[in-house]
Amino acid sequence: MSSSLKFGLLVFPRITQLDMTGPLQVFSSLPGAEIHLVWKRIEAVQSDTVLSILPTTAFADCPQLDVICVPGGYGTDDLMGDDEVLNFLRAQAAGAKFVTSVCTGSLVLAAAGLLEGRKAATHWSAIDVLPIFGVTASRERVCIDGNRITGGGITAGIDLGLTVISELVDRRTAEAIQLRLEYNPAPPFNAGSPETAPADVLALLQERMKVAKARRLDLARAAAARGR
């Protein structure tokens, strides 16, 4: 079964690379998996760090995928209004076994109408955006609603990948991949979510993200209005 499974991860300007490389490492650990890094064209895209990513497959050449994954990053703000991206996702979702995302990638799926009436996870700072598209926001690390599987912020990508493998193949296979990766997190601080972070740390991040959050909300409202 695994020899024919096709995975596609969307790459785009200002992607947060860990959103993509976490599930990529998991999916690539499945024997025989066919992996595609998909974008409009075969040209390097700049992530939100110094790392550039070269797509392997253009939209026009992408085969039907079993799993499509949309990572997050500030670049997803512009993707919410990008018809070429949204139409590609709609077309792939029609035949995919699982439609997935990490972090703010769920906002792009929502803008494409692929999460309407469902629940989904996203980065904690973007939780207010999902209801604009008729989506129930979830604070789960990984949220499953039918064949839609969405992960929370950035580091949830590995959890998302393992969950997808468990659903697509079986738990034993997912556990074997987890062991191979020695995915056994033990963070040095308990500040990884708004619920556990010290109040002053949370306030600092909220202030830093205020302008970006306001812009994202405006773009989401415009995208939702356009799609009606």
Side-chain angles (χ1 to χ4, degrees):
M1 177 183 177
S2 64
S3 61
S4 62
L5 292 174
K6 296 178 176 63
F7 297 83
L9 298 103
L10 188 69
V11 295
F12 51 88
R14 295 198 302 152
I15 188 177
T16 295
Q17 61 83 16
L18 187 55
D19 286 8
M20 185 273 290
T21 52
L24 171 65
Q25 195 67 56
V26 174
F27 298 155
S28 298
S29 298
L30 184 67
E34 183 179 316
I35 308 294
H36 299 270
L37 302 183
V38 192
W39 182 234
K40 298 175 183 181
R41 297 166 295 278
I42 305 297
E43 60 184 29
V45 296
Q46 186 70 45
S47 74
D48 61 4
T49 68
V50 299
L51 181 68
S52 292
I53 301 168
L54 183 65
T56 62
T57 309
F59 284 177
D61 301 319
C62 188
Q64 175 59 60
L65 302 167
D66 294 295
V67 177
I68 178 72
C69 181
V70 183
Y74 284 117
T76 57
D77 291 356
D78 294 328
L79 297 189
M80 287 190 287
D82 190 322
D83 286 334
E84 188 175 358
V85 171
L86 301 182
N87 288 334
F88 170 77
L89 293 175
R90 291 178 187 124
Q92 282 290 336
K97 293 181 172 67
F98 289 99
V99 178
T100 75
S101 65
V102 181
C103 197
T104 56
S106 60
L107 308 186
V108 185
L109 293 181
L114 298 174
L115 297 178
E116 188 172 4
R118 298 175 183 261
K119 63 176 182 174
T122 192
H123 191 279
W124 61 267
S125 68
I127 208 81
D128 295 337
V129 177
L130 287 173
I132 294 172
F133 295 105
V135 182
T136 300
S138 170
R139 286 291 291 130
E140 296 171 272
R141 179 78 167 171
V142 177
C143 176
I144 303 176
D145 190 331
N147 75 333
R148 292 347 189 217
I149 306 180
T150 53
I154 307 176
T155 58
I158 296 177
D159 303 66
L160 179 283
L162 292 170
T163 301
V164 169
I165 296 301
S166 177
E167 295 287 320
L168 192 61
V169 185
D170 56 45
R171 176 171 174 164
R172 184 171 179 270
T173 301
E175 288 178 331
I177 292 173
Q178 180 181 3
L179 179 57
R180 191 187 81 81
L181 299 180
E182 198 174 355
Y183 180 52
N184 188 29
F189 313 111
N190 193 23
S193 78
E195 291 78 17
T196 62
D200 61 329
V201 174
L202 177 58
L204 175 65
L205 264 291
Q206 287 174 327
E207 180 63 28
R208 287 180 180 175
M209 294 177 170
K210 187 162 58 176
V211 173
K213 181 178 180 180
R215 178 178 183 271
R216 177 177 288 141
L217 285 167
D218 287 343
L219 290 169
R221 292 187 187 104
R226 205 165 54 107
R228 292 191 183 103

